[in-house]
Amino acid sequence: MIILFDLDGTLIDSTEAILESFHRSFDLHELSRREDEEIKSLIGYPLDIMYENMGVQKSLISDIIMTYKEHYRDISTQKTQLLKNAKEAVELSSQFATLGIVTTKTGHYSKILMEHFNIMHHFEVLIGREDVENPKPHAEPIMKALEKMDTKNREIWMIGDTKLDLIAAKNANINSIGVLSGYDGHETLKMFTNVILNDALEAAVYLQNRKK
């Protein structure tokens, strides 16, 4: 079995770091701040799409993203936490499956975070924003991860907390589990998957039981 995990809202909570980095980027570029709820509603999308949806002029977006990333890099490990049961989910999954990470975060920072939490060694592959042309919900990030793995005769699952993860899984023709530990609620997730569980550990147990 192969299990691909999303990060934000699935294994980690970096909401504080994300919000602070957005607010700082708006301040430094002398733009009016956006409400926290508006920012949170867009988490999971790439930064350029998030800024565009918040009305930032396209000509400013590359500069404002640079400002965001500079601040995020400085605070991410201090202001990001593993979600409850996330470490246990990864450790359990690693006992019966090959693991990967497919995220819209920058892969470089994601790897640093996973090493900070001492779980990166459980993952064979990490695909981040810079590794693909087309981020989730496009199939490309998942396909890119699977290219690096031995998929022959393996059941493949994506675990994620937003519709973007589940749509990407569908587009890549793999199975998916929606988890309620992150940003999309039950009503949204049930439109895109038949399996919805509370968190990544419940998902790991579910898949372990399938494996038996």
Side-chain angles (χ1 to χ4, degrees):
M1 186 179 285
I2 290 173
I3 305 174
L4 304 175
F5 288 90
D6 170 56
L7 280 184
D8 278 305
T10 302
L11 293 179
I12 64 173
D13 180 4
S14 58
T15 308
E16 185 182 358
I18 291 169
L19 293 176
E20 185 178 312
S21 300
F22 268 103
H23 294 319
R24 182 169 175 81
S25 70
F26 283 122
D27 290 348
L28 287 176
H29 289 268
E30 299 181 341
L31 300 171
S32 57
R33 286 189 176 198
R34 305 305 192 269
E35 295 292 329
D36 287 355
E37 288 308 310
E38 183 183 1
I39 298 169
K40 285 197 281 190
S41 73
L42 294 166
I43 291 176
Y45 287 96
L47 288 171
D48 55 336
I49 291 175
M50 291 179 77
Y51 279 112
E52 194 174 330
N53 283 347
M54 286 186 271
V56 175
Q57 287 181 328
K58 283 193 175 182
S59 58
L60 274 178
I61 286 177
S62 61
D63 286 344
I64 203 169
I65 286 175
M66 200 176 299
T67 307
Y68 172 100
K69 285 186 172 182
E70 284 170 359
H71 190 66
Y72 185 85
R73 182 181 62 221
D74 291 341
I75 65 166
S76 62
T77 51
Q78 293 82 35
K79 300 204 171 182
T80 299
Q81 305 166 10
L82 278 176
L83 286 167
K84 184 183 177 188
N85 297 329
K87 189 166 191 177
E88 293 84 346
V90 170
E91 289 171 347
L92 175 62
S93 300
S94 70
Q95 294 171 22
F96 64 88
T98 304
L99 310 186
I101 291 170
V102 177
T103 180
T104 311
K105 294 175 91 66
T106 302
H108 175 68
Y109 302 145
S110 299
K111 188 166 185 278
I112 289 169
L113 278 173
M114 294 298 96
E115 287 169 346
H116 173 71
F117 293 125
N118 196 30
I119 56 173
M120 187 63 219
H121 60 282
H122 291 299
F123 296 98
E124 190 170 291
V125 175
L126 190 157
I127 299 295
R129 178 65 187 94
E130 71 271 43
D131 298 313
V132 296
E133 290 286 323
N134 305 291
K136 294 180 288 187
H138 198 281
E140 186 186 345
I142 290 174
M143 301 311 292
K144 199 97 175 204
L146 296 179
E147 282 170 14
K148 298 174 182 289
M149 305 170 96
D150 177 11
T151 60
K152 191 174 182 184
N153 300 323
R154 311 279 288 279
E155 201 173 293
I156 305 168
W157 290 80
M158 176 81 208
I159 300 174
D161 68 298
T162 74
K163 63 184 180 184
L164 301 176
D165 303 307
L166 308 180
I167 296 168
K170 187 174 184 181
N171 288 338
N173 200 29
I174 66 167
N175 306 294
S176 66
I177 297 177
V179 289
L180 298 170
S181 49
Y183 297 101
D184 276 348
H186 193 280
E187 287 302 306
T188 300
L189 297 178
K190 75 176 186 181
M191 295 161 61
F192 304 101
T193 185
N194 295 323
V195 188
I196 302 169
L197 300 166
N198 283 318
D199 61 20
L201 181 56
E202 281 193 12
V205 170
Y206 172 87
L207 294 176
Q208 184 185 40
N209 288 334
R210 279 184 67 87
K211 182 90 173 167
K212 286 175 180 173

